Amino acid sequence: MADLVDVANLLDIAADALDAALDQPEQANVSVASAHFELQLGDLVVLTGDMNRLRSDWESELLARGFAPKSAVTKKVTLLVAADPDSLSGKARKARDYGIPIVGEAALARLTGAFPLR
């Protein structure tokens, strides 16, 4: 995220324009068959990769909102949140094998109603 902000500054892109671009849906990064996806209370969520927010902060946020953060992908997991949704990591491969949607941090913030990433 810091790199993106640095590049926007170098290109003289206004902060409002960057915010608007980041607010666009990450439809290409969501591996969901339906057009609409929602998390339900108690859903299991796995986090992977070096994210903008600390993993412990995301885990606390998920717990506070009624979701269950887990460390490993199993068939019972509802969502994998990856620093890079196109990752080829073991967790991402397993999630794809199980048909589990993979999203980035911004999508998780939208799905959970967490504060925006800025």
Side-chain angles (χ1 to χ4, degrees):
M1 185 60 138
D3 290 341
L4 184 60
V5 171
D6 288 343
V7 170
N9 288 334
L10 289 170
L11 296 173
D12 291 324
I13 296 173
D16 291 344
L18 179 59
D19 288 343
L22 292 173
D23 287 338
Q24 298 300 312
E26 292 184 11
Q27 295 172 356
N29 292 333
V30 180
S31 304
V32 185
S34 69
H36 185 70
F37 179 80
E38 290 182 14
L39 285 172
Q40 303 296 319
L41 291 179
D43 279 349
L44 305 179
V45 178
V46 174
L47 306 172
T48 189
D50 187 19
M51 298 185 187
N52 293 316
R53 279 181 74 184
L54 294 174
R55 187 168 303 205
S56 59
D57 289 349
W58 270 123
E59 289 172 348
S60 296
E61 182 90 35
L62 287 166
L63 285 170
R65 294 178 181 276
F67 307 110
K70 296 295 177 190
S71 59
V73 174
T74 67
K75 290 181 181 181
K76 293 182 180 182
V77 168
T78 303
L79 184 68
L80 175 64
V81 182
D84 174 12
D86 297 320
S87 171
L88 300 176
S89 72
K91 286 181 183 178
R93 274 195 312 271
K94 190 179 267 191
R96 286 185 190 96
D97 288 346
Y98 293 156
I100 297 169
I102 303 171
V103 300
E105 264 182 290
L108 178 62
R110 283 191 298 277
L111 286 167
T112 62
F115 62 85
L117 301 168
R118 301 282 186 270

